[in-house]
Amino acid sequence: MMLSSSSISSTICCRRITKATINTPKVLNTIKPLSFPKISRGGLVKDLNLRNDYTIPTISPTSTPENHMKSHDPMVISKLYAIMEAVADRAEMHKNIGEQRDNWNHLLLNSINLITLTASTMCGFAATNPSFKLSSSILYVAATVFLGVMNTIQPSQLAEEQRNATRLFKQLHSQIETLVSIGNPTINDVKEAMEKVLGIDKAYPLPLLGVMLEKFPKKVQPAVWWPEKIRAKKGKLGQSDGIPNGWNRELEDEMREIVRVLKRKDKEDYMKLGEKALKFNKFLAISGPILTGIGAFGAFFADNPWGVTIGVLCGVLSSILSTIEHGGQVGMVFEMYRSNAGFFKLMEEEIESSLSESMVDRRENGELMEMKVALKLGRSISEVKDLGCGKNGVECHEFASKLF
């Protein structure tokens, strides 16, 4: 009985297996090859957004609501990538030339000091041996020429200019890269990027002849490397109970107070320091060649004790002043003050340009701008809010920036 039950069950299983085996080809024959839809760039994200009834906002300070509805223009992207390549190349050029001009400063300073001290030593020996008189005079004349050229071009200041240009081009490269990655670039962004590149080229030129920046200007002005901004006419800024796009009345007053402090404290202070550095550098640049010239005159009359004294003393003093000027890189200090004043001037213009825009939706987001201002000043957002201590007639003695 058990045998017959097991045989029956096995027979049933075999039939099922056989039936399944026989029907398998029929099932396979009815299956058609699967076809998948082509997914374009960003199509999957859009499809998921539509299914979930949600759209991912794009962070772009220069974008408008109309731009969010537009797709990327391949020609705009291509032009921005071409600008990025040019910007990266310029940054490398300025870096290499900056290093070269820094080497100029050290090599010329060491060479001129060596020539001057040698001339001074030979002038001292000329009192006992007249044959040193002519050699000392020639060395003094050579030192005067070299020192005059070095004081005119200011290699330490040139090196600082190239360092600033390198930093600004790297910053511009990062801005364009961010715009391409998460923004909605338009042809206006391409034009703005081109203007920024040309602005930096004009502010920090590479050649020396013809376009070199004036090293001893009559009046100190902040460095300007950004294109002129088109400011909108001031109009109504919104209702009293609040303004959209991350702005409100309190934030506007806070930004205006920051501009006031920047103008009255930070920029003005660096302009004064720049003027002092410029005057000191002028004194050193004029005194050095005059002393070596007097030393050459004294060496020519080295047969007289007064001539020897003048020749030796002027050579030593000239070496000391040259070391202070170029070893201390006074020209670089002046350029640093000038560029810092330009940094604060740029912040003022950016804030004022945003506040003067009558249509608030076209401004940069207020919260984002507040965060950027705080980072540039080296402060936290709460410290930026507390910076408006000049309100209600209370005088503020604090500088806006904590970085410089």
Side-chain angles (χ1 to χ4, degrees), residues 177-194:
E177 190 175 19
T178 302
L179 178 62
V180 172
S181 301
I182 64 175
N184 290 301
T186 62
I187 192 64
N188 292 330
D189 295 315
V190 175
K191 294 179 180 178
E192 185 179 355
M194 284 289 295

Side-chain angles (χ1 to χ4, degrees), residues 165-212:
T166 302
R167 178 180 58 84
L168 292 172
F169 275 121
K170 287 182 178 180
Q171 186 181 56
L172 179 58
H173 186 277
S174 299
Q175 291 174 356
I176 300 175
E177 190 175 19
T178 302
L179 178 62
V180 172
S181 301
I182 64 175
N184 290 301
T186 62
I187 192 64
N188 292 330
D189 295 315
V190 175
K191 294 179 180 178
E192 185 179 355
M194 284 289 295
E195 290 176 356
K196 288 181 178 179
V197 172
L198 297 178
I200 299 174
D201 285 338
K202 184 178 180 180
Y204 300 105
L206 281 171
L208 290 180
L209 300 178
V211 296
M212 184 181 69

Side-chain angles (χ1 to χ4, degrees), residues 145-164:
V145 173
F146 289 145
L147 194 56
V149 173
M150 188 178 184
N151 291 348
T152 301
I153 65 175
Q154 292 290 315
S156 65
Q157 187 172 343
L158 289 173
E160 179 66 14
E161 291 173 8
Q162 308 314 314
R163 283 191 287 266
N164 288 334

Side-chain angles (χ1 to χ4, degrees), residues 67 106 113 159 161 192 206 221 232 235 256 299 306 350 368 375 388:
N67 289 337
H106 296 293
N113 281 346
E161 291 173 8
E192 185 179 355
L206 281 171
Q221 296 288 346
R256 290 191 181 95
W306 284 104
E350 288 178 341
L368 179 60
L375 290 173

Side-chain angles (χ1 to χ4, degrees), residues 354-365:
S354 183
L355 291 176
S356 63
E357 176 59 60
S358 57
M359 299 184 66
V360 186
D361 290 339
R362 293 184 179 178
R363 296 182 187 178
E364 185 177 12
N365 182 273

